[in-house]
Amino acid sequence: MSRPKPISGYPEFLPAGRIVEQQVLDVLRETFELHGFGSIETRAVEPMDVLARKGEITKEIFTVRRLHADDEAPVPAGDQLGLHFDLTVPFARYVLEHGGHLSFPFRRYQMQKVWRGERPQEGRYREFLQADIDIVGAENLAAHHDVEIPLVALEAFERLHTELGLPPVVMHVNNRKLLQGFYEGLGIDDTAGALQRVDKFDKIGGPAVADLLTGELGLSDEVAAKCVAIAGICTGDTSFVDQVRALGVENPLLDEGLGELAELVRVAGAAVPGRLVADLKIARGLDYYTGTVYETELVGHEKMGSVASGGRYDSLASDGKVTYPGVGFSFGVTRILAPLLNRGELTATRSVPTCVLVAVDSEDTRAAAIATAGKLRARGIPTEVAPKADRFGKQIKYADRRGIPFVWFGGQTGDGADGPQSAQVKDIRSGEQVDADADSWQPPAADLHPRVGTA
Amino acid sequence: MSRPKPISGYPEFLPAGRIVEQQVLDVLRETFELHGFGSIETRAVEPMDVLARKGEITKEIFTVRRLHADDEAPVPAGDQLGLHFDLTVPFARYVLEHGGHLSFPFRRYQMQKVWRGERPQEGRYREFLQADIDIVGAENLAAHHDVEIPLVALEAFERLHTELGLPPVVMHVNNRKLLQGFYEGLGIDDTAGALQRVDKFDKIGGPAVADLLTGELGLSDEVAAKCVAIAGICTGDTSFVDQVRALGVENPLLDEGLGELAELVRVAGAAVPGRLVADLKIARGLDYYTGTVYETELVGHEKMGSVASGGRYDSLASDGKVTYPGVGFSFGVTRILAPLLNRGELTATRSVPTCVLVAVDSEDTRAAAIATAGKLRARGIPTEVAPKADRFGKQIKYADRRGIPFVWFGGQTGDGADGPQSAQVKDIRSGEQVDADADSWQPPAADLHPRVGTA
């Protein structure tokens, strides 16, 4: 087999990149679990009719079939399977299938690969990792969860920033009730149509949106101007409420949306100052979300677009008897990490978990070296034994190539038992070398595991 | 959507089962990393020509294609993709593709789902999780790694047994050189044919194997009897060497195999007594393995067959210039856990990570409850705030249903600030209730996270 080539759209990380990804996932998991979210995993495949329900994405679905099935009769439509393209659709199916065994409100997180047949480009992959949190109720779900979810997300992002050196984020939030109520208050009948046009605000700008609203929807210049005006409102505090009020539109749904959004902005402003803004042009997935919506940008990497998003939906799923409303948030883990890793903006201090390499000066002392390594591991210190008896220069080179900070040597006798002579451990970065006892020596805490940070 | 039905062969765990799985994976990861194995993940898909190289499994491959590609021209054979059916084939491809960026010997672990279009039954799934460790060298790899790999595996199994209550294991090991050399020493030309017949020893028994060897391969009764005799040797110490010698066959490859296997049995007997036996009928995957081979059974669940296995291969991969020999081991995580979870033999003490539920007696005090929860979380205590203001009986019921051991209440004033009155925390299992300060109260260590154990 000659050297294989990568397949476009299927990113793979080298070991150091994978260490970064693992530590990111560890932070997410720890944050989620501290907030009482439990993990689930769903199978990678769903029946096509489950997947195809979310219409606009159908063309991106990967179908799956047994190789030898190709020769057989076509699979009945109901039995055809496809790879899931997000974690929401399988979660909704999981809730319906296992609902009798779950307690509601049900708080879950889920970190799995998903697959989409998109045209690959930076930030768009055919296989990528998502990390989702959702809270789902049976029949009802209190509005305070709309505030809770983005706070959990921001706490996770804040830890990723301060502990691992990822860029800080700004979360842009809006509320569908607010826009819907505003449009209704203006007397617009086709509110969905208006939302679709306003959704293009970032791409084509306010004047062009106004043209669409008047030209395509037949709105008056005055009404279109107000739609553009509200879309332009973006504040880091609750002053957006007065700015909306100043547009002079009255509607009960608008009031409700303003109230919910103001509460979120107020609480988030106190908890994580500067990380959340009310941005009234955010519209995302409007056939789906019914209340608060969230988008998140990495500061300094706004061109990557929203890397994490979510919102409130009145019906995640329904089995005809019970309807399950929910609020959720999805971290685009690969979408965040692949560009940062590819550009070398994030890195790990070493490419292996190993903290100590125990040198072996002759194969006769391998057993003693293995015993030393066992003692270090028993105290939680990741340790390798040199694969080959060799002079110390070679062993230090072995460690150096992998970023292993410490090389241990001596303390071994030829008969494989611990000898009386003292062992020594060398910090190969500083060259410092000290006597050490495998039952008590401890590396600096910062060296125990690879550290992740900016390059 | 009506209640969906499970798809046969695709097991999914309820939240408590997933907690068991997570803790199993945590033990595996920690053990692997303590031994210097670094994580990698490979994409789920490989080109069909890469997958199909391992001939006998081809019929079980799932192919993947874009839904709308069905209407288009057939995909060229070289571009057709399938889901990986193990982690060895993708790892071999990864080593070839990224070899220039890796340091050899390369120690990696990999925990991912794999897919096989098998007929589903207990212990056989269409989607299942594997956890693999391998050490791969460039051009050569020392024999001591054949001893290292099963010791790492046994250390992991021992922790799963003592810490999480999984059944203990017995690992059955053999060495292909030993059998190959033995057969050559007997003058058998078709050694592969002999191995194939002997591989049926467990299923059909010694006399039937002897019949196959004489009838199908034309071996003499005496030679066939020796093949059956060596296959019947199974010892927990190195006495197998004398038993083989007593059969009177002389061959240098046999000597080499006996030496390697004796060393493994000797070292493992000292490190993890009673967990490893030399079992000379083990033959597995003989087109592939070239030295030591491992199989593992759960004690008391031998009917499940081998749940974890591996071995030495002289060529994991080759790019024409460099050949990569390796030795590896694969844990069938789903294969081990799904039956134990289904039968209720393993369980978690609760279905959520939450240790403390902070009660809310009126919506006016929710902010104070959130502040209390934040203080507990800041000290690593997984905490939820009650979703609904309610009387304490209901809140205790909420906790009880999920197995949350502690309910926190009081210490809140109606204005959302921490009040001066004392808070209390109740252990809902014992009913014991004590005054508590959110800045210092600590649950018993055993209650901080869900514990896994036998039911």
Side-chain angles (χ1 to χ4, degrees):
Chain A
M1 178 157 153
S2 57
R3 185 167 157 210
K5 291 192 181 63
I7 302 179
S8 180
Y10 294 87
E12 272 181 345
F13 299 146
L14 289 170
R18 172 62 183 158
I19 285 173
V20 174
E21 185 180 52
Q22 282 183 297
Q23 295 203 12
V24 166
L25 297 177
D26 288 345
V27 165
L28 293 179
R29 172 182 172 181
E30 193 179 309
T31 307
F32 300 159
E33 293 186 352
L34 279 173
H35 286 266
F37 292 85
S39 173
I40 68 161
E41 291 209 338
T42 59
R43 61 182 187 234
V45 297
E46 297 292 339
M48 281 304 291
D49 60 339
V50 172
L51 293 173
R53 201 161 295 146
K54 216 173 169 184
E56 82 281 6
I57 210 163
T58 305
K59 64 182 186 304
E60 299 176 354
I61 296 174
F62 283 111
T63 60
V64 165
R65 65 188 316 194
R66 287 179 62 193
L67 180 60
H68 282 221
D70 286 340
D71 309 329
E72 298 159 16
V75 180
D79 294 344
Q80 208 186 351
L81 300 177
L83 294 173
H84 57 215
F85 54 79
D86 72 4
L87 301 177
T88 306
V89 171
F91 175 52
R93 191 265 313 153
Y94 181 96
V95 165
L96 290 181
E97 184 176 328
H98 304 288
H101 301 281
L102 305 175
S103 298
F104 296 93
F106 177 54
R107 307 160 71 86
R108 84 87 173 78
Y109 72 93
Q110 190 171 352
M111 309 205 265
Q112 286 184 258
K113 302 273 173 66
V114 304
W115 294 270
R116 292 186 190 178
E118 296 193 278
R119 199 170 61 84
Q121 51 185 297
E122 187 178 83
R124 298 241 169 237
Y125 307 103
R126 295 195 148 193
E127 174 181 77
F128 53 101
L129 182 63
Q130 291 203 175
D132 280 26
I133 52 174
D134 283 87
I135 303 173
V136 171
E139 291 298 358
N140 53 62
L141 186 73
H144 58 76
H145 294 297
D146 290 32
V147 180
E148 181 182 10
I149 284 279
L151 288 186
V152 174
L154 284 170
E155 186 175 311
F157 272 122
E158 206 62 14
R159 286 189 58 184
L160 294 176
H161 173 52
T162 57
E163 296 176 21
L164 304 185
L166 271 74
V169 300
V170 171
M171 189 180 286
H172 296 252
V173 297
N174 196 1
N175 191 303
R176 192 199 167 157
K177 293 177 195 167
L178 192 161
L179 288 188
Q180 176 90 16
F182 187 81
Y183 296 154
E184 287 176 6
L186 281 169
I188 299 175
D189 291 326
D190 183 5
T191 56
L195 280 166
Q196 274 165 26
R197 272 73 181 184
V198 170
D199 201 23
K200 299 179 179 166
F201 193 99
D202 265 345
K203 279 192 193 154
I204 64 175
V209 167
D211 287 348
L212 290 179
L213 291 170
T214 53
E216 294 183 4
L217 293 190
L219 303 186
S220 71
D221 286 346
E222 191 197 357
V223 165
K226 291 206 173 181
C227 292
V228 170
I230 195 174
I233 295 173
C234 183
T235 71
D237 55 26
T238 56
S239 61
F240 73 89
V241 177
D242 286 342
Q243 294 184 36
V244 173
R245 294 282 182 221
L247 297 174
V249 177
E250 297 284 341
N251 177 276
L253 194 61
L254 169 62
D255 293 344
E256 203 179 315
L258 281 171
E260 287 182 10
L261 193 60
E263 171 69 4
L264 169 55
V265 171
R266 190 186 61 74
V267 173
V272 266
R275 298 293 188 225
L276 183 142
V277 297
D279 183 350
L280 304 198
K281 68 179 177 297
I282 301 292
R284 66 173 308 105
L286 289 157
D287 51 335
Y288 192 79
Y289 293 113
T290 52
T292 322
V293 289
Y294 324 104
E295 289 192 352
T296 316
E297 289 179 346
L298 298 179
V299 173
H301 300 76
E302 288 79 3
K303 274 186 193 161
M304 286 163 62
S306 176
V307 295
S309 60
R312 169 82 179 209
Y313 33 86
D314 281 345
S315 173
L316 171 74
S318 174
D319 59 9
K321 282 178 245 165
V322 183
T323 296
Y324 297 91
V327 55
F329 192 89
S330 179
F331 294 75
V333 178
T334 306
R335 208 155 166 214
I336 292 168
L337 289 183
L340 295 174
L341 289 171
N342 286 343
R343 291 184 214 135
E345 291 179 30
L346 265 185
T347 187
T349 48
R350 53 190 195 248
S351 65
V352 292
T354 314
C355 177
V356 179
L357 176 74
V358 180
V360 175
D361 57 358
S362 101
E363 285 302 328
D364 295 339
T365 63
R366 178 167 300 280
I370 288 172
T372 297
K375 290 178 183 177
L376 293 169
R377 286 184 200 118
R379 294 186 295 107
I381 303 168
T383 304
E384 271 180 64
V385 175
K388 198 176 153 215
D390 221 330
R391 57 193 173 77
F392 290 130
K394 288 262 186 159
Q395 312 230 356
I396 285 167
K397 202 169 162 194
Y398 177 97
D400 190 42
R401 214 165 20 220
R402 290 159 176 80
I404 301 171
F406 296 100
V407 176
W408 187 284
F409 55 89
Q412 300 143 7
T413 63
D415 63 1
D418 279 351
Q421 70 274 52
S422 71
Q424 294 211 303
V425 64
K426 185 188 192 84
D427 182 332
I428 67 167
R429 299 159 301 186
S430 66
E432 191 193 7
Q433 189 166 321
V434 295
D435 286 353
D437 179 342
D439 286 318
S440 61
W441 177 82
Q442 197 67 36
D447 287 332
L448 191 56
H449 300 291
R451 288 188 314 285
V452 168
T454 47
Chain B
M1 177 157 154
S2 57
R3 186 168 156 210
K5 291 192 182 62
I7 302 179
S8 179
Y10 295 85
E12 272 181 347
F13 299 146
L14 289 170
R18 172 63 182 156
I19 285 173
V20 175
E21 185 181 53
Q22 281 184 297
Q23 294 203 14
V24 167
L25 297 178
D26 288 345
V27 165
L28 293 179
R29 172 181 171 181
E30 194 179 308
T31 306
F32 300 159
E33 292 186 351
L34 278 173
H35 286 266
F37 292 85
S39 173
I40 69 161
E41 290 208 337
T42 58
R43 61 184 187 234
V45 297
E46 297 292 338
M48 281 303 292
D49 60 340
V50 171
L51 294 173
R53 201 161 295 145
K54 216 175 167 185
E56 84 281 8
I57 209 161
T58 306
K59 64 181 184 306
E60 299 176 355
I61 296 174
F62 283 111
T63 60
V64 165
R65 64 189 316 194
R66 289 179 60 193
L67 181 61
H68 281 222
D70 287 339
D71 310 329
E72 298 158 17
V75 181
D79 294 345
Q80 208 185 351
L81 299 177
L83 295 173
H84 57 215
F85 53 79
D86 72 4
L87 300 177
T88 306
V89 171
F91 175 52
R93 191 266 310 154
Y94 181 95
V95 165
L96 290 182
E97 183 176 328
H98 304 289
H101 301 280
L102 306 175
S103 298
F104 295 93
F106 178 53
R107 306 162 71 87
R108 85 86 174 78
Y109 72 93
Q110 189 169 353
M111 309 206 263
Q112 287 184 259
K113 302 272 174 64
V114 304
W115 294 269
R116 291 187 191 177
E118 295 194 278
R119 197 170 62 82
Q121 50 184 299
E122 187 180 84
R124 300 242 169 234
Y125 307 103
R126 294 194 149 195
E127 175 181 76
F128 53 101
L129 183 63
Q130 293 203 172
D132 281 25
I133 51 173
D134 284 87
I135 304 173
V136 171
E139 293 296 358
N140 52 63
L141 185 73
H144 59 76
H145 294 298
D146 289 32
V147 180
E148 180 181 10
I149 283 280
L151 288 186
V152 174
L154 285 170
E155 186 176 313
F157 272 121
E158 207 61 15
R159 287 190 57 185
L160 294 176
H161 173 51
T162 57
E163 296 175 20
L164 305 184
L166 271 74
V169 299
V170 171
M171 190 180 286
H172 296 252
V173 298
N174 196 1
N175 191 301
R176 193 201 167 154
K177 292 178 194 167
L178 193 161
L179 288 188
Q180 175 91 18
F182 187 81
Y183 297 154
E184 287 176 5
L186 282 169
I188 299 175
D189 290 327
D190 184 5
T191 57
L195 281 165
Q196 273 165 28
R197 271 74 179 183
V198 171
D199 201 23
K200 298 177 180 167
F201 192 98
D202 266 346
K203 279 189 192 155
I204 63 175
V209 168
D211 287 348
L212 291 179
L213 291 170
T214 52
E216 294 182 6
L217 292 191
L219 303 185
S220 71
D221 286 344
E222 192 197 359
V223 165
K226 291 205 174 184
C227 291
V228 169
I230 195 173
I233 295 173
C234 183
T235 71
D237 55 26
T238 55
S239 61
F240 73 90
V241 178
D242 287 342
Q243 294 184 37
V244 173
R245 294 283 182 221
L247 297 174
V249 176
E250 297 285 341
N251 178 276
L253 195 61
L254 169 61
D255 293 345
E256 203 179 317
L258 281 172
E260 287 182 12
L261 193 60
E263 170 71 3
L264 169 55
V265 171
R266 190 185 63 73
V267 174
V272 268
R275 298 295 188 221
L276 184 141
V277 297
D279 183 349
L280 304 198
K281 69 178 174 299
I282 302 292
R284 66 175 307 106
L286 289 156
D287 52 335
Y288 191 79
Y289 293 113
T290 51
T292 322
V293 288
Y294 324 104
E295 287 192 353
T296 316
E297 287 179 347
L298 298 179
V299 174
H301 299 77
E302 287 79 5
K303 275 185 192 161
M304 287 164 62
S306 176
V307 294
S309 60
R312 169 81 179 210
Y313 32 87
D314 281 346
S315 173
L316 171 74
S318 173
D319 59 9
K321 280 179 243 162
V322 182
T323 296
Y324 298 91
V327 56
F329 192 88
S330 179
F331 294 75
V333 178
T334 305
R335 208 153 166 215
I336 293 168
L337 289 182
L340 296 174
L341 289 170
N342 286 343
R343 292 185 214 136
E345 292 179 29
L346 264 185
T347 187
T349 49
R350 53 191 195 248
S351 66
V352 293
T354 314
C355 176
V356 179
L357 176 74
V358 180
V360 175
D361 57 357
S362 101
E363 286 301 329
D364 295 338
T365 62
R366 177 167 300 280
I370 289 171
T372 297
K375 289 177 183 176
L376 293 170
R377 286 185 200 116
R379 294 185 296 106
I381 303 168
T383 304
E384 273 181 61
V385 175
K388 199 175 151 216
D390 221 329
R391 57 194 173 77
F392 290 130
K394 289 262 189 161
Q395 312 231 353
I396 286 168
K397 203 170 161 193
Y398 177 97
D400 190 41
R401 214 163 24 220
R402 291 161 176 79
I404 301 172
F406 296 100
V407 176
W408 187 283
F409 54 93
Q412 301 143 8
T413 62
D415 62 3
D418 278 352
Q421 71 273 54
S422 70
Q424 295 210 302
V425 65
K426 186 188 192 82
D427 182 331
I428 67 166
R429 298 159 302 185
S430 66
E432 191 193 7
Q433 189 167 321
V434 296
D435 286 354
D437 179 342
D439 286 319
S440 61
W441 177 81
Q442 197 68 34
D447 287 333
L448 190 57
H449 301 292
R451 287 188 316 285
V452 168
T454 48

